[in-house]
Amino acid sequence: MVSQREVLTGKHLMQGDVACAEGAIAAGCKFFAGYPITPATEIAERMARRMIEVNGMFVQMEDELASMAAIIGASWAGAKAMTATSGPGFSLMQENIGLAVMTETPCVVVNVMRGAPSTGQPTEGAQQDVMQSKWGSHGDYSIIALAPASVQEMFDLTIECFNLAETYRAPTFLLADGFTGHLWERVVIPSPEEIKIVERKKPVVSPDKYMPFKPDEDLVPPMACFGEGYCVHVTGLTHDELGYPKTTDPKVQHKLVNRLCEKMRKNANRIVRTYESMLEDAEVAVIAYGIPSRASLNAVKKARESGIKAGLLRLVTVWPFPEKQIEELATRVNAIVVPEMNCGQIVREVERVAKETPVHLLSKIGGELHSPSEIFEAIRRAAGI
Amino acid sequence: MTVIQEFEKHPLAKYLRAERFPHIWCEGCGDGIILHCFVKALDDLAVDIDKFVVVSGIGCIGRAAGYVKCDSFHTTHGRPIALATGIKLANPKLTVAVLSGDGDLFAIGGNHFIHAARRNVDLTVICSNNFNYGMTGGQSGPTTPLDSYTTTTPYGNIEHPFNLVHLAAAAGSVYVARWTVLHVRRLAESIKKALRKKGFKFIEVISPCPEIYGRRNKLGKAIDIMKLYRQISEIRHGYDPAKAEITREKIVVGEFIDIEKPTYGELLQKQFIKIQQKLSEG
Amino acid sequence: MSASRLLTPVVKRKKLADVEWNVIEDFCKGCSFCIEFCPVDALEESDRLNAKGVHPPKLKSEDACIGCGLCETLCPDFAIYLEKKEGKGDKE
Ligand SMILES: Cc1ncc(C[n+]2csc(CCOP(=O)(O)OP(=O)(O)O)c2C)c(N)n1
Ligand code: SF4
Ligand code: SF4
Ligand code: SF4
Ligand SMILES: [Mg+2]
C-alpha cells in the first residue's frame, strides 16, 4: 500500500522528532495540523516538507485548539491524522481530546514533554504530563499512551500509535520527552512490506441499517467516514447508537461512558506492551518508562555486577496501565524503584497495584537525566544494603 | 398518518432527519427559518448530499447540524470552523458548511474565524446572530448592542459590539452578506451563491431570540421583532461593510463583498503539482 | 426604495402556482409569521388547538392562497408545505 517515498527504508542518523514524523508517514498519516512549540516543532517542520511529497496535507493552524479540532475533522473525512505539541499546547488541546474520545475519532497526538507547569522549561525534557494524559480532559474515559525511549522508538511507536488509534477508535498519545525528541541516533527504517499497518474498521451493512455508534464485540463500532454515503451525525453530547443526542437519559450516558472506558480495559491484553530484563529471579524491580529506562537498564546491570538481584520492567504502554504485569511482579520482588522525571506520577499507580510491596520513587526534575549510579543507589537502598 | 409521516410529505423533509422533528427551538425562534433557508438552498442547487457536510458549534443554532440529513458534526463550543477546516482540507471533494452562533463563532471561536478567512479555506459560514447566548439563558456576547440587557449585563451592556460583516471582510472573506430571517428568499439565494462560490464565504443572519433576548429587552413577541425587521432593514448591495451598521433604527442588509481570490486548496494544488514534478524528475 | 416594499412582494391576486396549502398542525408553535406576512392575507388562526396548545393557521377560503410559498419558507417550524396540484385536465 505505502510507497518508497512514504517509507525511507534504510539506516539513518536521525533526530527523535524527525523519526516520529517519518513513523507517522510510514503508518499512512495523510493529515497533519499543528502549531510550533519547543521541543516538538521539528515534527511540524518535517511534516511541512514531507506531507506534500506523499500526497498528504500539512496545515499550520492558529493554535493548538484548532490543531486538535482539525485532526478530528480530517479523521472523519477519512484521513489518518496527527498533531504534535508540548505541555502548553497539550493543555489547550484537552477539550477536543475529550471530543475525540466521545466521538471515537482515531487520531494521534504527540506530546514531546518539557519542564512544567506553565511555560516552564521549554528546552528541557520532562515526564510531567503523564497524569494529564490520563485525566486531562473532563469526565471519565480511557486512552492509550506509549512512551518511547529511543529515536528508533520515536519511529516504531508512532506507527504503533496509529495502529492502535485506528483499531480502537480513540485519540492515542505518543508520550515522548524533550530529550528523546531532540536526540540524534541511528534509526533503521524497514521496508514497507515489513511494516504492519492497521486500517480502520468499516461498516459491512448498508447505510439504512448502519448504526454509527453501535459497537461490535470488541466494543469498537465500525466507522463510516464523511462522504461515504452513510449520513453520519457526530456529536460530543451524550448520544445513542444512532449518534443522536440523548442527554437526559441516565441509561444512555451509563452505557456510552462505560463502554468508552471498557473499550481499553477489555482490550488491555492486546494493547499493553512491556519489556522485562533480568526479572526472573529479581528481588528489586525497577519500573521505568521513556528515557529513564535507559539509565535504569545500566543501573540494573551494575546492581547485578555487585551481587544485587535487580531487574527492569520497562513500560512501553503507559496507558492503559500495565496493571496485571505489575501486580504479578510485585508478588515476586521485595521492593520496587520507580525513576521518573516528575514529582511522582506513575509511582502512584505502581503503589496502588503493588499493594504491600514497598515502592520507592526516584524523582528528578529540572532538565537533568537520572544517572545510572543514582538509580543504582536507589536499588541498593531498596535492597536494604 | 403519524406527524412524522405527514412531515415526510414536506418537500424539504428529504434533507432533514425527520424522525428528530419537531425541533427544539422556541416559538418564533429565527433558527428554524435559517435551517429552512439552508435546506431550501441545498434543494434548489440539487447538491450531492452524500458529499455535503454540515458542521456546527454549541448553542441553540448549533443543533442545526443534528437536523440536516447529511454527514454532520456538532463540535465543541467555538471550534466548528477549525474542525471544518480539517474536513475540507483532508477531503477537498466534500462541500463543507458551518452553521453556528454569534458567541460560538466570534467570542470563543473568533480566532478560528479570522484565520480561516485569512487562509481562504473553502467554507460557507452562516452565523445566526441573535445578539446573545441563547442556549445558556441569555448572557451578553460579542454582538450584544450597547445598553442592551442580558443576564450578565443587568445594568446595560457597556461593551462595543462587533460589526460582523466588517470583521469578515477585513479578515479576507470573498463573499460577505447580511440578511434578517425575514428576508427568506434573499437569504436562500445568498446561501446558494455562497455554496457555488469558492473560498471563505460569510453570511450573517439577524435572527430573533424572542424567548430570551427579546423578552429581556422588551422587544415584544417574535412577530413584533419580525415587524421591526421589516420596518428598519434597508437593502444596500455593495455597501461598505464598515458602514453597514445595526442600530435600533436601522439594519443595513445586502451583499457587501463578492470578490475572487485563490483558495487555500487551489494554492496548495499548484504547489503540489510543482513538487510532484520535481520529484518525478528525480 | 422603501424597505417594506422590498420585503413584502407586491400584492398580485393572480395565482403564481396551483398548489394545495397544507399545515402540519402539531408542528405549529403559533408564532403567526405566516398569517402576518402572507402577501394576500390568505391565512388566519383556526379554532383548533394542537398538541402544543396553540391555534395553527388555516386558509381563509379555499382559493385564497396564490401559491407564492412565502409562508412555507418563513415558518420556523416546518409546519407549512405546499403541494403542486396535478394538472389533471391536461392529461385527460
Ligand atoms: C467551552 C465552553 N464554554 C461554555 C459553554 C457553554 N455554552 C454553551 S452554548 C454557549 C453560547 C452560545 O451562544 P451562541 O453561539 O450565540 O449561540 P445561540 O445559543 O445564541 O444560538 C455557551 C457559552 C460550552 N458549552 N463550552
Ligand atoms: S433561547 Fe432564543 S435562540 Fe434559543 S431556541 Fe429559544 S428563541 Fe431560539
Ligand atoms: S409560521 Fe409556522 S409555526 Fe408560525 S404560526 Fe404559522 S404555521 Fe405556526
Ligand atoms: S403560499 Fe402562503 S404566503 Fe403565499 S399566498 Fe399562499 S398562504 Fe399566502
Ligand atoms: Mg447567539
Side-chain angles (χ1 to χ4, degrees), chain A residues 95, chain B residues 31 58-62 76-77 79 100-105 108 128 130-136 139 209:
Chain A
E95 191 195 9
Chain B
D31 289 346
I58 303 292
C60 292
I61 181 68
T76 40
H77 189 29
R79 316 301 162 206
S100 215
D102 46 278
D104 186 87
L105 293 171
I108 192 165
S128 162
N130 55 16
F131 306 107
N132 82 137
Y133 290 178
M135 175 125 275
T136 42
Q139 296 76 27
C209 167

Side-chain angles (χ1 to χ4, degrees), chain A residues 115-163:
Chain A
S118 190
T119 315
Q121 297 177 289
T123 57
E124 306 299 334
Q127 294 181 311
Q128 290 176 283
D129 312 340
V130 178
M131 281 298 167
Q132 187 188 21
S133 305
K134 178 83 179 85
W135 301 115
S137 199
H138 49 289
D140 295 291
Y141 59 92
S142 56
I143 45 88
I144 302 173
L146 309 183
S150 64
V151 176
Q152 182 69 50
E153 281 195 340
M154 290 291 283
F155 179 86
D156 296 339
L157 296 188
T158 302
I159 297 177
E160 194 160 325
C161 277
F162 272 96
N163 289 346

